[in-house]
Amino acid sequence: MNSEHHNSGGLASFSVDAGKSQKPDAASVLDTLPKKPVTRNKYALAISILASMTSVLLGYDTGVMSGATLYIKDDLKISDVQVELLVGTINIYSLVGSAVAGRTSDWVGRRYTTVFASVVFFVGAILMGIATNYVFLMAGRFVAGIGVGYALMIAPVYAAEVAPASCRGFLTSFPEVFINFGVLLGFVSNYAFAKFPLKLGWRMMLGVGAIPAVFLAIGVIYMPESPRWLVLQGRLGDARRVLDKTSDSLEESKLRLADIKEAAGIPEDCNDDFVQVQKHSQGQGVWRELLLHPTKPVLHILICGVGIHFFQQGIGIDSVVLYSPRIYDRAGITDTSDKLLATIAVGISKTFFILITTFYVDRFGRRFLLLVSCAGVALSMFALGTVLTIIDRNPDAKQTGVLVLVVLLTMVIVGFFSMGLGPIAWVYSSEIFPLKLRAQGCGLGVAMNRFMSGVILMSFISLYKEITIGGSFFLFGGITTLGWIFFFTLFPETRGRTLEEMEGLFGTFFKWRTTMKELDAKKRSGTDGA
C-alpha cells in the first residue's frame, strides 16, 4: 500500500491512490448487528431540514412568477415572448450557479456554499423588487438565478452526505418538499398582493422572496460540515464527531467513517484527527474521470444521474405549475382571482403528495415510486390534452363541470409528479455518484435540470400557439412515456445501500438486475462467513 502513517506526531500523510483494504462493506456488517426498531436520527433530521430549506428560494420564485407575470405584462407593456424570457431565463442563469457550485463546495465546504446561495438570492430578490423596467428586472433575475443554481446543487448533496442509510431517501427528499412549499408560498403571495396597486403589487410579490433568504443564511451557519467533505480535507476527528451525531448508532458511525476513508483512499488503520491529503483529492482531475475517460460504472451513473433530471423537467411539469393561470384562461376561467385561487389548489396538491412520498421513499424504494409517478403523469397529461382539445374545438364545452375537470387534472398531474419523479430525481442523483465525483456530478444533474426547465418555460407559449394547448400536453405525455421506459431499463434500486457501495450497482447498464443479484449473494456469503 502506497501510504505513510506517523503516529507520533498526530498527523498522517497518504496518497489517495492507496489500495483499498479488504474488509466487509458497511451494509454487510450492519446486517450482523442486533436488530432494533428503526428511529429517525433527530439531529440528522434537523440539519437536513435546515439545509434543504434553501430550495424554498426556487419554489417561491417559480410559484410567484406564475401570477406576477399577469401584472408585469400590464405594467411594463411587454410581449408574450418577453414574458417567456422573463420566466424561463432564471433557469438558464442558474446553469452558471450549478456549474461552479460543485467546485465551490469542494473548496469552501457544503455549509458555506449554502450560505453563499442564500446571500446571492437575497440580492437578486431585492433587485427584482425595486426594478423600474424590463432590463432592470432581467438583471435581478440573473443574480437570483445564480443563487438558485447553488442552492439546488448543494442541498441534496449535503443531506445525502449527513444521512444514515436507513433514512437517506427520507432526508434527501426534503429539497423537493421545500421546493413545493415555496411554490405554495408563491401562489399565496400572488393572491395576497393582487389587491395592491398595479405598480406595487408585483414588486411586493418578488421582493418578499428576500425574507426567507436572510433567515436561511443565518441558520445554516449553525449546521455542521459534511463528514465526507471533512474527510477529503483530512479532518478525520471532526468527521468522526459529526458521524457520531448523525448515525443511528456508534457502530454505524464507525462503519460509515471506515467506508468514507476507504473511498477517499485513507488507510483503515489511520485514526489521527488530522491527516495530510494530496491536492487532487480536493477536486482536481474530477472532470477527466467524469466526462473524458469515465469507467463503465461512472458512465452508467452519469447517464442515470443526468438523465433523471432531463426527464424530470422535460415532461413539462413547470409549464403546468408556472403557466397554470394561462391554462385556466384557455379553458374558460377568465377572472384573475379565480385563476389565482386555482393555482393555490395546485400548490396544495403538490405539497400534500410530496409529504406522503417523503415518509415512504425508504419503505417502497426509488424505482417503484418513480415508475408509478411517471405512469400517472403520462396518463394525466394525455387526459388533460384531450379535454383542452375538446374545449378548443367546441367553445360551448366551457361548462362548469369541464372547467373543474381541467383544474382537477392539473392537480392530479402535479400530485403524481410530487409522489415520485419530483423528489426522487434529487434523492437518486445525490446518492449514486462516487465520493470524489459527487459534487461535480450533482452539479451536472442540476445544470441539466435547469436547462430543460428553461427550455420548457421559454417555449411553452409559442409551442401551444403552434400546435394548440391540447397538443402540447399530448407531447409532454409522450415524453413522460419515454422517461418511464428509460427508468425501467437502466435504473437499479438504491434503497438501503450505503453511499460507498453504490458504484458496484452500476456498470452493466441494461443487465443491472444480474449485477444486483450477484452483489446481494456476495454480501450474504460474506455475512455468513463473518
Side-chain angles (χ1 to χ4, degrees):
M1 183 177 292
N2 182 21
S3 65
E4 291 181 287
H5 186 197
H6 304 288
N7 289 321
S8 59
L11 177 69
S13 61
F14 62 91
S15 165
V16 296
D17 294 324
K20 295 183 179 180
S21 58
Q22 299 297 319
K23 67 177 184 65
D25 59 76
S28 299
V29 179
L30 283 172
D31 286 340
T32 68
L33 296 176
K35 302 298 181 184
K36 59 182 180 180
V38 177
T39 58
R40 309 283 188 197
N41 183 296
K42 293 182 176 60
Y43 183 72
L45 175 63
I47 60 178
S48 295
I49 289 176
L50 189 56
S52 301
M53 285 177 68
T54 56
S55 300
V56 166
L57 305 178
L58 171 65
Y60 182 83
D61 182 87
T62 300
V64 81
M65 285 304 291
S66 68
T69 52
L70 300 176
Y71 303 98
I72 293 171
K73 184 177 181 180
D74 288 342
D75 185 22
L76 301 183
K77 310 301 180 186
I78 59 178
S79 66
D80 279 343
V81 173
Q82 287 176 304
V83 170
E84 287 180 320
L85 290 174
L86 177 65
V87 169
T89 49
I90 191 171
N91 298 295
I92 303 301
Y93 301 150
S94 67
L95 291 174
V96 180
S98 60
V100 298
R103 189 58 183 272
T104 302
S105 68
D106 282 343
W107 178 38
V108 302
R110 303 345 185 190
R111 183 176 56 161
Y112 287 112
T113 301
T114 307
V115 175
F116 181 73
S118 299
V119 171
V120 173
F121 187 87
F122 170 83
V123 174
I126 293 295
L127 291 175
M128 289 189 291
I130 63 175
T132 56
N133 54 53
Y134 184 73
V135 174
F136 195 161
L137 184 57
M138 289 293 284
R141 299 290 282 168
F142 173 76
V143 176
I146 301 296
V148 165
Y150 267 89
L152 283 179
M153 176 266 157
I154 200 60
V157 169
Y158 180 89
E161 293 188 341
V162 300
S166 63
C167 59
R168 188 176 58 248
F170 174 73
L171 297 182
T172 52
S173 62
F174 274 116
E176 184 69 15
V177 171
F178 284 106
I179 288 176
N180 283 273
F181 183 64
V183 168
L184 180 58
L185 285 180
F187 289 157
V188 172
S189 177
N190 285 336
Y191 191 73
F193 292 115
K195 306 300 182 183
F196 281 53
L198 179 62
K199 292 184 178 297
L200 179 62
W202 67 265
R203 290 180 171 86
M204 291 293 294
M205 294 174 188
L206 299 181
V208 165
I211 296 177
V214 174
F215 291 102
L216 290 173
I218 295 173
V220 169
I221 294 176
Y222 297 96
M223 293 176 0
E225 186 51 81
S226 157
R228 287 171 170 83
W229 183 82
L230 291 170
V231 169
L232 288 179
Q233 310 311 304
R235 296 164 57 182
L236 298 186
D238 291 336
R240 188 180 301 112
R241 285 185 282 275
V242 175
L243 287 169
D244 286 346
K245 291 183 178 181
T246 58
S247 298
D248 293 332
S249 65
L250 290 178
E251 291 86 354
E252 183 186 2
S253 173
K254 293 176 183 178
L255 291 168
R256 289 175 69 189
L257 180 59
D259 273 351
I260 297 169
K261 285 162 62 177
E262 182 178 9
I266 301 176
E268 183 182 358
D269 59 350
C270 178
N271 295 311
D272 296 313
D273 284 347
F274 298 95
V275 298
Q276 290 181 347
V277 296
Q278 292 185 354
K279 289 184 178 181
H280 66 274
S281 69
Q282 300 178 7
Q284 291 83 347
V286 168
W287 295 116
R288 179 178 59 81
E289 295 183 30
L290 193 61
L291 298 176
L292 299 180
H293 302 290
T295 61
K296 283 187 175 181
V298 170
L299 180 60
H300 188 179
I301 288 170
L302 185 65
I303 291 171
C304 291
V306 175
I308 195 170
H309 282 289
F310 171 86
F311 282 106
Q312 192 210 46
Q313 293 301 322
I315 65 173
I317 189 64
D318 276 358
S319 66
V320 178
V321 175
L322 218 152
Y323 287 117
S324 53
R326 283 180 176 258
I327 296 172
Y328 301 147
D329 182 71
R330 299 284 294 185
I333 303 175
T334 56
D335 183 78
T336 301
S337 294
D338 290 344
K339 285 187 281 190
L340 293 180
L341 278 175
T343 62
I344 292 177
V346 171
I348 292 173
S349 177
K350 282 176 64 65
T351 304
F352 175 76
F353 281 99
I354 183 61
L355 288 174
I356 292 177
T357 302
T358 297
F359 286 96
Y360 285 97
V361 65
D362 286 311
R363 180 178 299 181
F364 292 117
R366 286 52 157 161
R367 273 180 54 83
F368 174 78
L369 291 174
L370 192 61
L371 294 174
V372 171
S373 171
C374 276
V377 170
L379 292 174
S380 303
M381 287 282 193
F382 289 134
L384 181 59
T386 300
V387 174
L388 290 173
T389 299
I390 292 173
I391 292 174
D392 263 352
R393 295 183 178 181
N394 183 15
D396 294 335
K398 294 180 180 180
Q399 305 296 325
T400 301
V402 177
L403 302 184
V404 171
L405 181 59
V406 170
V407 175
L408 287 176
L409 283 172
T410 57
M411 293 175 64
V412 170
I413 288 171
V414 299
F416 271 115
F417 176 83
S418 296
M419 71 174 287
L421 189 52
I424 290 174
W426 304 106
V427 173
Y428 203 87
S429 63
S430 66
E431 66 185 1
I432 61 176
F433 284 98
L435 175 60
K436 183 180 177 183
L437 310 179
R438 186 168 300 135
Q440 283 87 340
C442 289
L444 286 177
V446 173
M448 176 59 75
N449 187 288
R450 292 299 87 199
F451 173 76
M452 290 306 301
S453 177
V455 168
I456 295 296
L457 293 178
M458 288 192 295
S459 63
F460 180 69
I461 297 175
S462 301
L463 179 67
Y464 80 63
K465 287 182 177 179
E466 189 68 27
I467 65 172
T468 75
I469 193 163
S472 299
F473 287 103
F474 283 127
L475 174 63
F476 293 147
I479 294 172
T480 310
T481 303
L482 292 177
W484 190 94
I485 296 171
F486 176 72
F487 300 137
F488 181 79
T489 55
L490 279 174
F491 278 51
E493 178 58 68
T494 58
R495 178 186 59 174
R497 307 279 179 172
T498 67
L499 294 182
E500 281 63 46
E501 65 176 330
M502 287 292 178
E503 193 171 353
L505 300 175
F506 294 85
T508 52
F509 301 94
F510 301 106
K511 300 178 180 179
W512 61 265
R513 292 173 180 80
T514 302
T515 301
M516 181 171 285
K517 290 179 182 178
E518 292 173 353
L519 287 173
D520 289 340
K522 187 181 298 183
K523 181 189 295 186
R524 286 193 296 270
S525 63
T527 302
D528 294 339

